[in-house]
């Protein structure tokens, strides 16, 4: 059984599920899904700059309207439950956890406790953070001690 820790920031789409569940061919897969509620992983300005960079001006304007902090926990929990259920429906073992504080510390502890084989960071592009190597994947590579794969999430 191949164990992956999957860091996400939005619910998995059917394309995302197919993508991550077929990465290792016929080998059985187990996922530990970590999701941090919106607003805790980056500030509004960086998200707006990313929206502008990909030409999505409408989303850039609406960034301030998105729930953050405590208000974002219920939607994040629903997204996490949806994602775990989708992975299970695809025939994989899966559990999920909301990340309350320090996502990279939580990632490191989950990797160690589960003796995970890899980390998959599945997010939207974050151009500013990626340019300065401050995104989750870049920072995780220096912390977790297992391979870290950066993938871009699909949209439905």
């Amino acid at each position: 059984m191949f164990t992956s820790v999957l860091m996400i920031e939005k619910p998995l789409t059917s394309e995302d599920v197919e993508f991550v569940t077929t990465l290792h061919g016929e080998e059985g897969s187990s996922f530990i899904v970590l999701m941090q509620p919106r607003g805790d992983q980056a500030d509004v300005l960086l998200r707006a700059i990313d929206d502008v960079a990909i030409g999505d001006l409408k989303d850039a304007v609406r960034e301030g309207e998105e729930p953050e902090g405590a208000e974002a926990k219920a939607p994040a929990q629903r997204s996490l439950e949806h994602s775990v259920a989708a992975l299970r429906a695809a025939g994989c073992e899966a559990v999920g956890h909301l990340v309350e504080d320090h996502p990279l510390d939580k990632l490191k502890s989950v990797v160690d406790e589960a003796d995970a084989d890899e980390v998959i960071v599945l997010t939207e592009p974050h151009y500013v953070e990626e340019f300065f190597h401050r995104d989750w994947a870049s920072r995780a590579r220096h912390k977790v001690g297992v391979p870290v794969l950066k993938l871009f999430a699909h949209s439905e």
Side-chain angles (χ1 to χ4, degrees):
M1 179 77 59
F2 201 86
T3 302
S4 300
V5 178
L6 178 60
M7 291 188 75
I8 62 173
E9 61 185 6
K10 67 177 201 164
L12 296 176
T13 64
S14 57
E15 290 93 351
D16 293 330
V17 171
E18 182 177 356
F19 197 27
V20 298
T21 59
T22 59
L23 283 173
H24 301 291
E26 298 298 316
E27 186 171 357
S29 297
S30 171
F31 292 93
I32 303 165
V33 184
L34 301 180
M35 180 169 206
Q36 187 172 22
R38 185 175 173 86
D40 293 336
Q41 71 269 33
D43 66 29
V44 174
L45 178 60
L46 287 178
R47 290 194 310 260
I49 291 170
D50 287 337
D51 290 337
V52 170
I54 62 173
D56 202 346
L57 300 178
K58 290 180 183 178
D59 280 348
V61 172
R62 287 190 292 250
E63 281 297 338
E65 299 170 7
E66 293 291 326
E68 295 190 4
E71 293 177 7
K73 285 187 180 175
Q77 184 65 43
R78 286 190 300 275
S79 295
L80 179 62
E81 290 168 2
H82 163 83
S83 298
V84 168
L87 290 166
R88 288 177 181 162
C92 298
E93 293 181 14
V95 296
H97 306 280
L98 280 184
V99 177
E100 298 289 332
D101 297 306
H102 309 292
L104 294 174
D105 292 340
K106 178 67 173 180
L107 175 63
K108 172 73 172 143
S109 68
V110 168
V111 166
D112 291 345
E113 289 170 17
D115 195 25
D117 297 297
E118 71 180 354
V119 169
I120 301 171
V121 178
L122 185 72
T123 66
E124 296 286 328
H126 296 292
Y127 298 109
V128 175
E129 291 174 330
E130 289 168 15
F131 180 79
F132 291 106
H133 304 286
R134 301 301 304 154
D135 59 300
W136 282 347
S138 296
R139 292 172 31 207
R141 285 186 180 103
H142 302 287
K143 188 162 186 117
V144 297
V146 297
V148 176
L149 180 61
K150 166 73 178 206
L151 300 174
F152 291 118
H154 293 82
S155 296
E156 277 188 327

